[in-house]
């Protein structure tokens, strides 16, 4: 069985064949750290996380790089408004991004390079492009990429090069361009703006060039997969291909993967529509980060995701079903012969799960397989058809598949000591047939986020996965 991925550039779904056998090199366009990331951004980052987790699950070595854009117009503007340096503003929102990332259970990329730490590589790339006739300087000290020098321009976005960028706003600092379509590789310094003294003269990098410089610095001139939101296809990724391939003469990226939009109330999730929802605000408001992760990853990455209170509640219920099954399996004790049909049933779930994800990361199919398994395991638990050892086998499967999904509560989840004491007190109350006290403790535990259930295997508890308010 092979992993097949859809490539935006060719429009084809092709088998993944890493340039270096067994090792997949991935670059993801990361956040511009000028404010808290919203869930639309995180949909795209979590898609990349799912991809990385799955490739590792399938035994591949993965090197994953995600950049942090820590210098751009919005950062300069935000820092000026607050009277702080661009570095202070970028550091604050980088920390916030990492906190959100951890809250959502995202794998940390192997490298999180920052644009301002790659100025020499950016300058080298711009110099190479100028030497090869693909870039030119203007009077204000800026350097532009000459689109007319690159006939393949527009292939990724399937654009007619002559019709491109018509109507695109030409800012005052770009009047010196030879062609309205040309884009800035280097921005000549302006009074009051941060700048770096380089061989190109004082200035700062344009946005597009940083991704070419950083991806090639950490992954080489050609690498396997480049991800981003579909809004980055044009012009950002189109520009990345042009400047990278014009500089190196090598194919830049083998597979381009783009994540569709997040919609809220039918609107595309974007800052302009004002329906921003930030991860940190949601979590502070009581939304379970695991439910949020599920809601943002449970739809195939190329399909628009409709985010709503309802979808979040459904995600919370799905996560609770997995927690409840794992809790029931952990508590289950039955001294009987093993269920002879169980290994085949578990293997069937795994096979269907893998087949779904092998098919261009079709997570909906994979989740359907998992929840078929959850239903079947609950049925066998209710019928007391499993042995104690069977319950361990089933747990191992669910935990194993969750290495890809990252939604189950950790196996070693420990309770706040005060809550643990209340659970013990409740066991004692029931042993003493003090039903009023045991009910009181059950109610108080529930208010504090711990659901208690009495089963044949004794008292069982699980954390309530709320969708918050
Ligand atoms: Zn980028």
């Amino acid at each position: 069985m092979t992993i097949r991925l859809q490539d935006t550039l060719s429009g084809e779904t092709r088998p993944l064949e890493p340039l270096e056998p067994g090792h997949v090199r991935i670059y993801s366009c990361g956040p511009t750290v000028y404010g808290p990331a919203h869930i639309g951004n995180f949909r795209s980052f979590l898609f990349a996380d799912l991809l990385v987790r799955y490739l590792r699950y399938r035994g591949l070595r993965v090197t994953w790089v995600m950049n942090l854009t820590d210098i751009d117009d919005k950062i300069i503007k935000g820092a000026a408004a607050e009277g702080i340096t661009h570095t202070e503003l970028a550091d604050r929102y980088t920390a916030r991004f990492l906190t959100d990332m951890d809250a959502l259970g995202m794998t940390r990329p192997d490298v999180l390079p920052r644009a301002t730490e790659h100025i020499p590589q950016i300058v080298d790339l711009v110099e190479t492009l100028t030497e090869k006739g693909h870039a030119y300087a203007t009077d204000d000290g800026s350097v532009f990429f000459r689109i007319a020098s690159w006939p393949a321009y527009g292939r990724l976005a399937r654009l007619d090069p002559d019709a491109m960028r018509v109507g695109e706003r030409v800012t005052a600092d770009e009047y010196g361009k030879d062609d309205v379509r040309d884009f800035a590789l280097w921005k000549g310094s302006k009074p009051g703006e941060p700048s770096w003294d380089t061989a190109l003269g004082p200035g700062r990098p344009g946005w597009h060039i940083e991704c070419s410089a950083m991806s090639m610095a950490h992954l080489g001139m050609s690498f396997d997969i480049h991800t981003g939101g579909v809004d980055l296809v044009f012009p950002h990724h189109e520009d990345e291909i042009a400047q990278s391939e014009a500089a190196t003469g090598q194919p830049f990226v083998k597979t381009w993967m783009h994540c569709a939009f997040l919609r809220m109330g039918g609107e595309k999730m974007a800052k302009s529509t004002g329906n921003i929802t930030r991860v940190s605000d949601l979590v502070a408001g009581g939304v379970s980060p695991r439910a949020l992760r599920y809601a943002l990853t449970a739809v195939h990455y190329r399909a628009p995701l409709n985010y709503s209170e309802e979808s979040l509640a459904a995600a919370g219920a799905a996560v609770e079903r997995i927690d409840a099954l794992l809790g029931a399996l952990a508590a289950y004790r039955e001294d009987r012969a093993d269920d002879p049909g169980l290994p085949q049933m578990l293997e069937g779930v795994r096979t269907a799960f893998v087949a779904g994800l092998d098919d261009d990361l079709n997570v909906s199919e994979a989740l359907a397989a998992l929840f078929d398994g959850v239903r079947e395991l609950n049925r066998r638990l209710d019928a007391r058809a499993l042995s104690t050892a069977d319950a361990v086998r089933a747990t191992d499967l669910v935990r194993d598949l969750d290495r890809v999904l990252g939604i189950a509560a950790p196996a070693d989840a420990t309770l706040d000591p005060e809550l643990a004491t209340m659970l013990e007190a409740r066991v004692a109350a029931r042993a003493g047939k003090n039903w009023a006290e045991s009910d009181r403790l059950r109610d108080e535990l529930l208010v504090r986020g711990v659901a208690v259930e009495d089963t044949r295997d004794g008292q069982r508890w699980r954390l309530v996965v709320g969708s918050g308010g």
Side-chain angles (χ1 to χ4, degrees):
M1 204 180 293
T2 35
I3 301 166
R4 298 172 65 83
L5 301 173
Q6 164 110 6
D7 167 45
T8 309
L9 183 59
S10 63
E12 291 168 0
T13 305
R14 299 180 306 207
L16 171 67
E17 286 159 0
L19 292 163
E20 179 192 328
H23 180 196
V24 185
R25 288 170 290 165
I26 305 178
Y27 183 88
S28 301
C29 285
T32 300
V33 284
Y34 74 101
H38 59 72
I39 53 174
N41 304 130
F42 267 102
R43 182 195 185 191
S44 170
F45 304 146
L46 287 170
F47 140 66
D49 178 35
L50 187 73
L51 174 68
V52 168
R53 282 169 176 261
Y54 185 60
L55 298 182
R56 286 180 176 154
Y57 179 83
R58 295 287 265 125
L60 291 155
R61 179 182 157 214
V62 176
T63 302
W64 185 24
V65 177
M66 177 184 281
N67 71 303
L68 299 167
T69 299
D70 64 347
I71 186 72
D72 92 326
D73 292 343
K74 290 181 290 258
I75 292 172
I76 294 170
K77 210 172 143 193
E82 288 196 44
I84 58 176
T85 67
H86 65 92
T87 310
E88 286 168 327
L89 188 93
D91 284 352
R92 180 203 299 164
Y93 290 112
T94 296
R96 180 90 166 253
F97 175 66
L98 297 178
T99 304
D100 289 349
M101 186 186 239
D102 291 347
L104 290 172
M106 234 178 103
T107 313
R108 282 281 179 106
D110 300 290
V111 194
L112 282 160
R114 295 165 196 233
T116 59
E117 290 172 356
H118 291 76
I119 301 290
Q121 292 90 334
I122 290 169
V123 169
D124 278 355
L125 200 50
V126 175
E127 285 186 317
T128 302
L129 288 167
T130 306
E131 283 159 19
K132 292 192 170 185
H134 294 291
Y136 59 94
T138 53
D139 291 344
D140 69 346
S142 297
V143 181
F144 287 89
F145 184 88
R146 189 187 303 282
I147 294 210
S149 78
W150 191 250
Y153 194 89
R155 266 180 62 212
L156 181 73
R158 292 173 174 70
L159 294 173
D160 170 3
D162 295 326
M164 271 175 317
R165 288 174 195 261
V166 171
E168 193 175 296
R169 198 166 59 92
V170 181
T171 56
D173 63 336
E174 296 188 340
Y175 281 145
K177 291 197 287 190
D178 289 358
D179 185 329
V180 70
R181 302 172 307 164
D182 294 349
F183 60 91
L185 298 166
W186 186 255
K187 297 183 172 189
S189 79
K190 284 198 282 191
E193 283 194 0
S195 76
W196 283 260
D197 273 318
T198 70
L200 301 170
R204 60 184 169 95
W207 172 38
H208 313 302
I209 194 73
E210 69 169 85
C211 282
S212 289
M214 290 192 276
S215 58
M216 292 198 276
H218 296 281
L219 298 172
M221 281 193 275
S222 299
F223 55 93
D224 299 291
I225 300 173
H226 193 313
T227 78
V230 71
D231 53 324
L232 298 183
V233 170
F234 183 81
H236 186 54
H237 291 164
E238 195 74 60
D239 291 353
E240 279 190 42
I241 295 174
Q243 67 206 1
S244 305
E245 298 192 352
T248 67
Q250 305 288 323
F252 179 45
V253 167
K254 209 165 162 195
T255 305
W256 285 91
M257 296 181 76
H258 290 102
C259 180
F261 288 120
L262 179 89
R263 296 169 195 277
M264 294 188 77
E267 292 279 302
K268 169 182 161 290
M269 178 81 196
K271 294 194 168 60
S272 55
T273 55
N275 52 6
I276 298 166
T277 309
R278 295 172 175 127
V279 172
S280 41
D281 293 346
L282 285 164
V283 172
V287 171
S288 151
R290 292 190 291 130
L292 189 53
R293 178 184 172 91
Y294 188 98
L296 295 176
T297 51
V299 172
H300 186 244
Y301 74 94
R302 284 193 290 111
L305 189 159
N306 293 305
Y307 175 86
S308 62
E309 290 289 315
E310 291 74 27
S311 71
L312 193 53
V319 173
E320 277 194 26
R321 282 178 68 200
I322 295 188
D323 283 358
L325 174 65
L326 286 170
L329 289 168
Y332 185 87
R333 300 286 179 276
E334 193 64 61
D335 185 14
R336 54 160 295 157
D338 292 347
D339 175 348
L342 186 73
Q344 199 185 350
M345 181 242 146
L346 296 178
E347 211 35 55
V349 170
R350 186 199 305 278
T351 303
F353 182 89
V354 166
L357 291 170
D358 271 356
D359 178 18
D360 191 30
L361 217 63
N362 190 334
V363 72
S364 319
E365 267 184 41
L367 286 169
L370 171 64
F371 282 104
D372 282 348
V374 170
R375 198 173 309 116
E376 184 55 29
L377 286 169
N378 280 326
R379 198 185 64 73
R380 294 184 192 209
L381 282 174
D382 289 346
R384 311 295 295 181
L386 303 178
S387 68
T388 305
D390 285 335
V392 174
R393 285 180 196 108
T395 301
D396 288 347
L397 175 85
V398 176
R399 289 275 172 212
D400 190 50
L401 302 186
D402 192 56
R403 282 163 51 207
V404 179
L405 301 171
I407 50 170
D412 56 356
T414 46
L415 268 188
D416 176 297
E418 198 184 333
L419 296 174
T421 306
M422 285 167 67
L423 282 171
E424 282 167 27
R426 187 169 179 277
V427 172
R430 287 181 64 80
K433 302 202 188 308
N434 186 347
W435 309 120
E437 176 64 0
S438 112
D439 287 353
R440 187 192 70 76
L441 285 164
R442 183 196 59 209
D443 294 346
E444 189 174 343
L445 281 159
L446 188 59
V447 168
R448 299 177 64 170
V450 180
V452 181
E453 204 185 334
D454 299 302
T455 73
R456 270 180 59 169
D457 305 309
Q459 171 176 285
R460 233 163 60 194
W461 63 271
R462 63 187 169 80
L463 299 174
V464 178
V465 182
S467 58

